Coordinates of all heavy atoms in Angstrom, one line a residue:
M25 N -156.1 -15.6 70.8 CA -156.8 -16.4 69.7 C -155.9 -17.3 69.0 O -156.3 -18.4 68.7 CB -157.4 -15.3 68.8 CG -158.4 -15.9 67.7 SD -159.8 -16.5 68.6 CE -160.9 -16.8 67.3
G26 N -154.6 -17.0 68.7 CA -153.7 -17.8 68.0 C -153.4 -19.1 68.9 O -153.3 -20.2 68.3
L27 N -153.3 -19.0 70.2 CA -153.0 -20.0 71.0 C -154.1 -21.1 71.0 O -153.9 -22.3 71.0 CB -152.7 -19.6 72.5 CG -152.4 -20.8 73.5 CD1 -151.2 -21.6 73.0 CD2 -152.1 -20.2 74.9
I28 N -155.4 -20.6 71.0 CA -156.5 -21.5 71.1 C -156.7 -22.2 69.7 O -156.9 -23.4 69.7 CB -157.8 -20.6 71.3 CG1 -157.8 -20.1 72.8 CG2 -159.1 -21.4 71.0 CD1 -158.9 -19.3 73.2
S29 N -156.5 -21.5 68.6 CA -156.5 -22.2 67.3 C -155.4 -23.2 67.2 O -155.6 -24.3 66.5 CB -156.5 -21.1 66.2 OG -155.3 -20.4 66.2
I30 N -154.3 -22.9 67.8 CA -153.2 -23.9 67.7 C -153.6 -25.3 68.4 O -153.4 -26.3 68.1 CB -151.9 -23.4 68.3 CG1 -151.3 -22.4 67.2 CG2 -150.8 -24.5 68.5 CD1 -150.1 -21.5 67.8
L31 N -154.1 -25.1 69.7 CA -154.5 -26.1 70.5 C -155.6 -27.0 69.9 O -155.6 -28.2 69.9 CB -155.0 -25.6 72.0 CG -153.9 -25.1 72.9 CD1 -154.4 -24.5 74.1 CD2 -152.9 -26.2 73.2
F32 N -156.6 -26.3 69.4 CA -157.7 -27.2 68.7 C -157.3 -27.6 67.4 O -157.9 -28.5 66.9 CB -158.9 -26.3 68.7 CG -159.6 -26.1 70.1 CD1 -159.6 -24.9 70.7 CD2 -160.2 -27.2 70.8 CE1 -160.1 -24.7 72.0 CE2 -160.7 -27.0 72.1 CZ -160.6 -25.8 72.6
G33 N -156.5 -26.9 66.7 CA -156.1 -27.3 65.4 C -155.0 -28.4 65.2 O -154.9 -29.1 64.3
W34 N -154.3 -28.5 66.3 CA -153.1 -29.4 66.3 C -153.6 -30.9 66.1 O -153.0 -31.6 65.2 CB -152.3 -29.3 67.7 CG -151.2 -30.2 67.7 CD1 -150.0 -30.0 67.0 CD2 -151.0 -31.5 68.4 NE1 -149.2 -31.1 67.3 CE2 -149.8 -32.0 68.2 CE3 -151.9 -32.1 69.3 CZ2 -149.4 -33.1 68.7 CZ3 -151.4 -33.3 69.9 CH2 -150.2 -33.8 69.5
P35 N -154.6 -31.3 66.7 CA -155.1 -32.8 66.5 C -155.5 -33.1 65.0 O -155.4 -34.3 64.6 CB -156.3 -33.0 67.4 CG -156.1 -32.0 68.5 CD -155.4 -30.7 67.8
V36 N -156.0 -32.0 64.3 CA -156.4 -32.3 62.9 C -155.3 -32.0 62.0 O -155.4 -32.2 60.7 CB -157.7 -31.5 62.5 CG1 -158.9 -32.1 63.4 CG2 -157.5 -30.1 62.7
A37 N -154.1 -31.7 62.4 CA -153.0 -31.3 61.5 C -152.6 -32.5 60.6 O -152.5 -32.2 59.4 CB -151.8 -30.8 62.2
P38 N -152.5 -33.7 61.1 CA -152.1 -34.8 60.2 C -153.2 -35.1 59.1 O -152.9 -35.3 58.0 CB -152.1 -36.0 61.1 CG -151.9 -35.5 62.4 CD -152.6 -34.2 62.5
L39 N -154.5 -34.9 59.4 CA -155.5 -35.0 58.4 C -155.4 -33.9 57.3 O -155.5 -34.2 56.1 CB -156.9 -34.9 59.1 CG -158.1 -34.9 58.1 CD1 -158.1 -36.3 57.4 CD2 -159.4 -34.6 58.9
R40 N -155.1 -32.7 57.8 CA -154.8 -31.7 56.8 C -153.6 -31.9 55.9 O -153.7 -31.7 54.7 CB -154.6 -30.4 57.4 CG -155.8 -29.7 58.0 CD -155.5 -28.3 58.6 NE -156.6 -27.9 59.4 CZ -156.5 -27.0 60.4 NH1 -155.4 -26.5 60.7 NH2 -157.6 -26.7 61.1
G41 N -152.6 -32.5 56.5 CA -151.4 -32.9 55.6 C -151.8 -34.1 54.6 O -151.4 -34.0 53.4
V42 N -152.7 -35.0 55.0 CA -153.1 -36.0 54.1 C -153.9 -35.4 53.0 O -153.7 -35.9 51.7 CB -153.8 -37.2 54.8 CG1 -154.4 -38.1 53.8 CG2 -152.9 -37.9 55.8
I43 N -154.8 -34.6 53.3 CA -155.6 -33.9 52.2 C -154.7 -33.1 51.3 O -154.9 -33.2 50.1 CB -156.7 -32.9 53.0 CG1 -157.7 -33.9 53.7 CG2 -157.4 -32.1 51.9 CD1 -158.7 -33.0 54.5
R44 N -153.7 -32.4 51.8 CA -152.8 -31.6 50.9 C -152.0 -32.6 50.1 O -151.9 -32.3 48.9 CB -152.0 -30.7 51.7 CG -151.1 -29.8 50.9 CD -151.8 -28.9 50.0 NE -150.8 -28.3 49.0 CZ -151.1 -28.1 47.8 NH1 -152.4 -28.5 47.3 NH2 -150.3 -27.6 47.0
L45 N -151.6 -33.7 50.6 CA -150.8 -34.7 49.8 C -151.7 -35.1 48.7 O -151.2 -35.3 47.5 CB -150.4 -35.7 50.7 CG -149.6 -36.8 50.0 CD1 -148.3 -36.3 49.3 CD2 -149.4 -38.1 50.9
G46 N -152.9 -35.5 49.0 CA -153.9 -35.9 47.9 C -154.1 -34.8 46.7 O -154.1 -35.1 45.7
E47 N -154.1 -33.7 47.2 CA -154.2 -32.5 46.2 C -153.0 -32.4 45.4 O -153.1 -32.3 44.1 CB -154.6 -31.2 46.9 CG -156.0 -31.2 47.6 CD -156.1 -29.9 48.5 OE1 -155.0 -29.2 48.8 OE2 -157.2 -29.7 48.9
V48 N -151.8 -32.5 45.9 CA -150.7 -32.5 45.2 C -150.6 -33.6 44.2 O -150.2 -33.4 43.0 CB -149.4 -32.4 46.2 CG1 -148.2 -32.6 45.4 CG2 -149.4 -31.2 46.9
I49 N -150.9 -34.8 44.7 CA -150.9 -36.0 43.8 C -151.9 -35.8 42.6 O -151.6 -36.1 41.5 CB -151.2 -37.3 44.6 CG1 -150.0 -37.6 45.4 CG2 -151.5 -38.5 43.6 CD1 -150.3 -38.8 46.5
Q50 N -153.1 -35.3 42.9 CA -154.1 -35.0 41.8 C -153.6 -34.0 40.8 O -153.7 -34.3 39.7 CB -155.4 -34.6 42.4 CG -156.5 -34.4 41.5 CD -157.8 -33.9 42.1 OE1 -157.8 -33.6 43.2 NE2 -158.8 -33.7 41.2
E51 N -153.0 -33.0 41.3 CA -152.4 -31.9 40.4 C -151.3 -32.5 39.4 O -151.3 -32.3 38.3 CB -151.8 -30.8 41.3 CG -152.9 -30.0 41.9 CD -152.3 -29.0 42.9 OE1 -151.0 -29.0 43.0 OE2 -153.0 -28.4 43.6
Q52 N -150.5 -33.4 40.1 CA -149.4 -34.0 39.2 C -149.9 -34.9 38.2 O -149.5 -34.9 37.0 CB -148.5 -34.8 40.2 CG -147.3 -35.5 39.5 CD -146.4 -34.5 38.7 OE1 -146.2 -33.3 39.2 NE2 -145.8 -35.0 37.7
V53 N -151.0 -35.7 38.6 CA -151.7 -36.6 37.6 C -152.2 -35.8 36.5 O -152.1 -36.2 35.4 CB -152.7 -37.5 38.4 CG1 -153.5 -38.3 37.3 CG2 -152.0 -38.5 39.2
E54 N -153.0 -34.8 36.8 CA -153.6 -33.9 35.8 C -152.5 -33.4 34.9 O -152.8 -33.2 33.7 CB -154.5 -32.8 36.4 CG -155.7 -33.4 37.1 CD -156.5 -32.4 37.8 OE1 -156.1 -31.2 37.9 OE2 -157.7 -32.7 38.3
R55 N -151.5 -32.8 35.4 CA -150.4 -32.3 34.6 C -149.8 -33.3 33.7 O -149.6 -33.1 32.4 CB -149.3 -31.9 35.5 CG -149.1 -30.4 35.5 CD -147.8 -30.0 36.2 NE -147.8 -30.7 37.5 CZ -147.8 -30.2 38.6 NH1 -147.6 -28.9 38.9 NH2 -147.9 -30.9 39.8
E56 N -149.6 -34.6 34.1 CA -149.1 -35.6 33.3 C -150.1 -36.1 32.2 O -149.8 -36.4 31.1 CB -148.7 -36.8 34.1 CG -147.6 -36.6 35.0 CD -147.1 -37.9 35.7 OE1 -147.6 -38.9 35.5 OE2 -146.2 -37.7 36.6
M57 N -151.4 -36.0 32.5 CA -152.4 -36.4 31.5 C -152.4 -35.4 30.3 O -152.8 -35.8 29.3 CB -153.8 -36.5 32.2 CG -153.9 -37.7 33.1 SD -155.6 -37.8 33.8 CE -156.6 -38.0 32.3
R58 N -152.1 -34.1 30.6 CA -152.1 -33.2 29.5 C -150.7 -33.0 28.9 O -150.6 -32.2 28.0 CB -152.6 -31.8 30.2 CG -154.0 -31.8 30.6 CD -154.5 -30.5 31.3 NE -155.8 -30.5 31.5 CZ -156.5 -31.1 32.5 NH1 -155.8 -31.7 33.3 NH2 -157.9 -31.0 32.6
D59 N -149.7 -33.8 29.4 CA -148.3 -33.6 28.8 C -148.3 -34.3 27.3 O -148.8 -35.3 27.2 CB -147.4 -34.4 29.6 CG -145.9 -34.4 29.1 OD1 -145.8 -33.5 28.2 OD2 -145.1 -35.2 29.6
P60 N -148.1 -33.3 26.4 CA -148.0 -33.8 25.0 C -147.3 -35.1 24.7 O -147.7 -35.8 23.9 CB -147.6 -32.6 24.1 CG -147.7 -31.4 25.1 CD -147.7 -31.9 26.4
V61 N -146.3 -35.2 25.4 CA -145.4 -36.4 25.1 C -146.1 -37.6 25.5 O -146.2 -38.7 24.9 CB -144.1 -36.4 25.9 CG1 -143.2 -37.5 25.8 CG2 -143.3 -35.1 25.3
V62 N -146.7 -37.6 26.8 CA -147.4 -38.8 27.3 C -148.7 -39.0 26.5 O -149.1 -40.3 26.1 CB -147.9 -38.5 28.7 CG1 -148.8 -39.6 29.2 CG2 -146.7 -38.4 29.7
V63 N -149.4 -38.0 26.1 CA -150.6 -38.2 25.2 C -150.1 -38.9 23.7 O -150.8 -39.8 23.3 CB -151.3 -36.9 24.9 CG1 -152.4 -37.1 23.8 CG2 -151.9 -36.4 26.1
R64 N -149.1 -38.3 23.2 CA -148.6 -38.9 22.0 C -148.2 -40.3 22.1 O -148.5 -41.2 21.2 CB -147.5 -38.0 21.4 CG -147.0 -38.7 20.0 CD -145.8 -37.7 19.5 NE -145.3 -38.3 18.3 CZ -145.3 -37.6 17.2 NH1 -145.7 -36.4 17.1 NH2 -144.8 -38.2 16.1
R65 N -147.5 -40.6 23.1 CA -147.1 -42.0 23.3 C -148.3 -43.0 23.5 O -148.3 -44.1 22.9 CB -146.3 -42.2 24.6 CG -145.6 -43.4 24.8 CD -144.7 -43.5 26.1 NE -143.6 -42.4 26.0 CZ -143.6 -41.6 27.2 NH1 -144.2 -41.8 28.3 NH2 -142.6 -40.6 27.1
R66 N -149.3 -42.5 24.1 CA -150.4 -43.3 24.4 C -151.3 -43.6 23.0 O -151.8 -44.6 22.7 CB -151.5 -42.6 25.4 CG -152.7 -43.4 25.6 CD -152.4 -44.8 26.4 NE -153.7 -45.4 26.5 CZ -153.8 -46.6 26.0 NH1 -152.8 -47.3 25.6 NH2 -155.0 -47.3 26.0
L67 N -151.3 -42.5 22.3 CA -152.0 -42.5 21.0 C -151.2 -43.5 20.0 O -151.8 -44.4 19.2 CB -152.1 -41.2 20.2 CG -153.1 -40.3 20.9 CD1 -152.9 -38.8 20.3 CD2 -154.5 -40.8 20.8
E68 N -149.9 -43.5 20.1 CA -149.0 -44.4 19.3 C -149.3 -45.9 19.8 O -149.3 -46.8 18.9 CB -147.6 -44.0 19.4 CG -147.2 -42.9 18.7 CD -145.9 -42.2 18.8 OE1 -145.2 -42.8 19.9 OE2 -145.4 -41.3 18.2
E69 N -149.4 -46.1 21.1 CA -149.7 -47.4 21.6 C -151.0 -48.0 21.1 O -151.1 -49.1 20.7 CB -149.8 -47.4 23.1 CG -148.5 -47.1 23.9 CD -148.5 -47.0 25.4 OE1 -149.7 -47.2 25.8 OE2 -147.5 -46.8 26.0
I70 N -152.1 -47.1 21.0 CA -153.3 -47.5 20.5 C -153.2 -47.8 19.0 O -153.8 -48.8 18.5 CB -154.4 -46.4 20.7 CG1 -154.7 -46.1 22.1 CG2 -155.7 -46.6 20.0 CD1 -155.4 -44.8 22.5
E71 N -152.5 -47.1 18.2 CA -152.3 -47.4 16.8 C -151.5 -48.7 16.6 O -151.9 -49.5 15.7 CB -151.6 -46.3 16.2 CG -152.4 -44.9 16.0 CD -151.6 -43.8 15.4 OE1 -150.3 -43.9 15.1 OE2 -152.1 -42.7 15.3
R72 N -150.6 -49.0 17.5 CA -149.9 -50.3 17.4 C -150.8 -51.4 17.7 O -150.7 -52.4 17.1 CB -148.6 -50.2 18.2 CG -147.5 -49.4 17.7 CD -146.2 -49.8 18.4 NE -146.1 -49.3 19.7 CZ -145.7 -48.1 20.2 NH1 -145.4 -47.3 19.3 NH2 -145.9 -47.6 21.4
A73 N -151.6 -51.1 18.7 CA -152.5 -52.4 19.1 C -153.4 -52.6 18.0 O -153.7 -53.8 17.7 CB -153.3 -51.9 20.4
R74 N -154.0 -51.6 17.3 CA -154.9 -51.6 16.2 C -154.3 -52.4 15.0 O -154.7 -53.3 14.4 CB -155.4 -50.3 15.8 CG -156.3 -50.4 14.5 CD -157.6 -51.1 14.8 NE -158.4 -51.2 13.5 CZ -158.7 -52.4 13.0 NH1 -158.6 -53.5 13.5 NH2 -159.5 -52.3 11.8
A75 N -153.0 -52.0 14.8 CA -152.2 -52.6 13.6 C -151.9 -54.0 13.9 O -151.9 -54.9 13.0 CB -150.9 -51.8 13.4
A76 N -151.7 -54.4 15.2 CA -151.4 -55.8 15.6 C -152.8 -56.7 15.7 O -152.6 -57.8 15.9 CB -150.6 -55.8 16.9
G77 N -153.8 -55.9 15.6 CA -155.0 -56.7 15.6 C -155.5 -57.0 17.1 O -156.4 -57.9 17.3
Q78 N -155.0 -56.4 18.1 CA -155.3 -56.6 19.4 C -156.7 -55.9 19.8 O -157.3 -56.4 20.7 CB -154.3 -56.1 20.4 CG -153.0 -56.7 20.2 CD -151.8 -56.2 21.1 OE1 -151.9 -55.0 21.5 NE2 -150.8 -57.0 21.4
I79 N -157.1 -54.8 19.1 CA -158.2 -54.1 19.3 C -159.0 -53.9 17.9 O -158.3 -53.8 17.0 CB -158.1 -52.7 20.1 CG1 -157.2 -51.8 19.3 CG2 -157.4 -53.0 21.4 CD1 -157.1 -50.5 19.9
S80 N -160.3 -53.7 18.1 CA -161.0 -53.4 16.8 C -161.0 -51.9 16.4 O -160.4 -51.1 17.2 CB -162.4 -53.8 17.0 OG -163.1 -52.9 18.0
E81 N -161.5 -51.6 15.3 CA -161.5 -50.2 14.8 C -162.3 -49.3 15.8 O -162.1 -48.1 16.1 CB -162.1 -50.1 13.4 CG -161.8 -48.9 12.8 CD -162.2 -49.0 11.2 OE1 -161.8 -50.1 10.6 OE2 -162.8 -48.0 10.7
E82 N -163.5 -49.9 16.3 CA -164.3 -49.1 17.1 C -163.6 -48.9 18.5 O -163.7 -47.8 19.1 CB -165.7 -49.9 17.4 CG -166.5 -50.1 16.2 CD -166.0 -51.2 15.4 OE1 -165.4 -52.1 15.8 OE2 -166.4 -51.1 14.1
E83 N -162.9 -49.9 19.0 CA -162.1 -49.8 20.3 C -161.0 -48.7 20.1 O -160.8 -48.0 21.1 CB -161.6 -51.0 20.7 CG -162.6 -52.1 21.2 CD -162.0 -53.4 21.6 OE1 -161.1 -53.9 20.8 OE2 -162.5 -54.0 22.5
E84 N -160.4 -48.7 19.0 CA -159.4 -47.7 18.7 C -159.9 -46.3 18.7 O -159.4 -45.4 19.4 CB -158.7 -48.0 17.3 CG -157.7 -47.0 17.0 CD -157.2 -47.1 15.5 OE1 -158.0 -47.6 14.7 OE2 -156.1 -46.6 15.2
A85 N -161.1 -46.1 18.0 CA -161.7 -44.7 18.0 C -162.1 -44.3 19.5 O -161.9 -43.2 19.8 CB -162.9 -44.8 17.1
L86 N -162.7 -45.3 20.3 CA -163.1 -45.0 21.6 C -162.0 -44.6 22.4 O -162.0 -43.7 23.1 CB -163.9 -46.1 22.2 CG -164.3 -46.0 23.6 CD1 -165.4 -44.9 23.7 CD2 -164.9 -47.3 24.1
E87 N -160.8 -45.4 22.4 CA -159.6 -45.1 23.2 C -159.0 -43.8 22.8 O -158.7 -43.0 23.7 CB -158.8 -46.3 23.2 CG -159.2 -47.5 23.8 CD -158.3 -48.6 23.9 OE1 -157.0 -48.3 24.0 OE2 -158.6 -49.7 24.0
M88 N -158.9 -43.5 21.5 CA -158.4 -42.2 21.1 C -159.2 -41.0 21.6 O -158.6 -40.0 22.1 CB -158.2 -42.3 19.6 CG -157.0 -43.0 19.0 SD -156.8 -42.7 17.3 CE -155.2 -43.4 17.1
Q89 N -160.5 -41.2 21.5 CA -161.4 -40.2 22.0 C -161.1 -40.0 23.5 O -161.1 -38.8 24.1 CB -162.9 -40.5 21.8 CG -163.8 -39.5 22.2 CD -165.2 -39.9 21.9 OE1 -165.6 -41.0 21.4 NE2 -166.3 -39.0 22.1
E90 N -161.0 -41.0 24.3 CA -160.9 -40.9 25.8 C -159.6 -40.3 26.0 O -159.5 -39.4 27.0 CB -161.0 -42.3 26.3 CG -162.3 -43.0 26.4 CD -162.3 -44.3 27.0 OE1 -161.2 -44.9 27.3 OE2 -163.4 -44.9 27.1
V91 N -158.4 -40.6 25.3 CA -157.2 -39.9 25.6 C -157.3 -38.4 25.3 O -156.7 -37.6 26.1 CB -156.1 -40.7 24.7 CG1 -154.8 -39.8 24.7 CG2 -155.8 -42.0 25.2
L92 N -157.9 -38.2 24.2 CA -158.0 -36.6 23.8 C -158.9 -35.9 24.7 O -158.6 -34.8 25.1 CB -158.4 -36.5 22.4 CG -157.6 -37.0 21.3 CD1 -158.0 -37.0 20.0 CD2 -156.1 -36.4 21.4
Q93 N -160.0 -36.5 25.3 CA -160.8 -35.9 26.3 C -160.1 -35.7 27.5 O -160.2 -34.7 28.3 CB -162.1 -36.7 26.5 CG -163.1 -36.6 25.4 CD -164.3 -37.4 25.7 OE1 -164.3 -38.3 26.5 NE2 -165.4 -37.2 25.0
G94 N -159.2 -36.7 28.0 CA -158.4 -36.5 29.1 C -157.4 -35.4 29.0 O -157.1 -34.6 29.9
M95 N -156.9 -35.1 27.8 CA -156.0 -34.0 27.5 C -156.6 -32.7 27.7 O -156.0 -31.9 28.3 CB -155.4 -34.1 26.2 CG -154.3 -33.2 25.8 SD -153.6 -33.5 24.2 CE -152.6 -32.0 24.1
V96 N -157.8 -32.6 27.2 CA -158.5 -31.3 27.4 C -159.3 -31.2 28.6 O -160.0 -30.1 28.9 CB -159.3 -30.9 26.2 CG1 -158.5 -30.8 24.9 CG2 -160.5 -32.1 25.9
G97 N -159.3 -32.1 29.4 CA -160.1 -32.2 30.8 C -161.6 -32.5 30.6 O -162.3 -32.2 31.6
G98 N -161.9 -33.1 29.6 CA -163.3 -33.5 29.4 C -163.6 -34.7 30.2 O -162.7 -35.5 30.7
P99 N -164.9 -35.1 30.2 CA -165.4 -36.4 31.0 C -165.0 -37.6 30.1 O -164.7 -37.5 28.8 CB -166.8 -36.2 31.0 CG -167.2 -35.2 29.8 CD -166.0 -34.4 29.7
G100 N -165.0 -38.7 30.7 CA -164.9 -40.0 30.0 C -163.5 -40.6 30.2 O -163.0 -41.4 29.5
R101 N -162.8 -40.2 31.3 CA -161.5 -40.8 31.5 C -161.7 -42.1 32.2 O -162.1 -42.2 33.4 CB -160.6 -39.9 32.4 CG -160.2 -38.7 31.8 CD -159.3 -37.8 32.6 NE -160.0 -36.6 32.7 CZ -159.8 -35.7 33.6 NH1 -159.0 -35.8 34.6 NH2 -160.4 -34.4 33.6
A102 N -161.4 -43.2 31.5 CA -161.6 -44.7 32.1 C -160.3 -45.4 31.8 O -160.4 -46.5 31.3 CB -162.7 -45.2 31.3
E103 N -159.3 -44.9 32.2 CA -157.9 -45.6 32.0 C -157.9 -47.0 32.5 O -157.6 -47.9 31.8 CB -156.8 -44.7 32.5 CG -155.5 -45.2 32.1 CD -155.1 -45.1 30.6 OE1 -155.6 -44.3 30.0 OE2 -154.2 -45.8 30.2
P104 N -158.2 -47.2 33.9 CA -158.1 -48.5 34.4 C -159.0 -49.5 33.7 O -158.7 -50.7 33.5 CB -158.6 -48.4 35.8 CG -158.3 -47.0 36.1 CD -158.5 -46.3 34.9
A105 N -160.2 -49.2 33.3 CA -161.2 -50.1 32.7 C -160.6 -50.5 31.3 O -160.7 -51.6 30.9 CB -162.5 -49.5 32.6
R106 N -160.0 -49.6 30.6 CA -159.5 -49.8 29.3 C -158.2 -50.8 29.4 O -158.1 -51.7 28.6 CB -159.0 -48.5 28.8 CG -158.9 -48.5 27.2 CD -158.7 -47.2 26.6 NE -158.9 -46.1 27.2 CZ -158.2 -45.1 27.5 NH1 -156.9 -45.0 27.0 NH2 -158.4 -44.0 28.2
Q107 N -157.4 -50.6 30.4 CA -156.3 -51.5 30.6 C -156.7 -52.8 30.8 O -156.2 -53.8 30.4 CB -155.5 -51.0 31.7 CG -154.7 -49.7 31.5 CD -153.7 -49.7 30.3 OE1 -153.2 -50.9 30.2 NE2 -153.4 -48.7 29.7
E108 N -157.8 -53.2 31.7 CA -158.2 -54.5 32.0 C -158.9 -55.0 30.8 O -158.8 -56.3 30.5 CB -159.3 -54.4 33.1 CG -158.7 -54.0 34.4 CD -159.8 -53.8 35.5 OE1 -160.9 -54.2 35.3 OE2 -159.4 -53.3 36.6
R109 N -159.6 -54.3 29.9 CA -160.3 -54.8 28.8 C -159.4 -55.3 27.7 O -159.7 -56.3 27.2 CB -161.1 -53.6 28.2 CG -162.0 -54.1 27.1 CD -162.9 -52.9 26.4 NE -162.1 -51.6 26.7 CZ -162.6 -50.5 26.4 NH1 -163.9 -50.4 26.1 NH2 -162.0 -49.4 26.6
R110 N -158.3 -54.8 27.7 CA -157.2 -55.2 26.7 C -156.5 -56.5 27.1 O -156.0 -57.2 26.2 CB -156.3 -54.2 26.4 CG -155.8 -54.2 25.0 CD -154.8 -53.2 24.5 NE -155.2 -51.9 25.0 CZ -154.2 -50.9 25.2 NH1 -153.0 -51.3 25.1 NH2 -154.5 -49.7 25.6
R111 N -156.4 -56.8 28.4 CA -155.7 -58.0 28.8 C -156.4 -59.3 28.4 O -157.3 -59.5 28.3 CB -155.5 -57.9 30.3 CG -154.5 -56.8 30.7 CD -154.2 -56.7 32.1 NE -153.5 -55.6 32.4 CZ -153.2 -55.1 33.5 NH1 -153.7 -55.6 34.5 NH2 -152.4 -54.1 33.6

């Protein structure tokens, strides 16, 4: 049985490797999103942008909510859209 599974499993081994790599990357991103240092730095960036007049009070509240939801794993993570909106 081991030889047969090796023969039939060998062609899909690269696909399994790519899937595992994607899982590892996702785990790392989630860890970084929950890192208190990263979250604090992002909240400080939002505060600086508000103080400089780059974003409105409503945008500040929305972005802070999104950062905090990302930290606790809630829905509403829209980091790329937020970056484009500010440019």
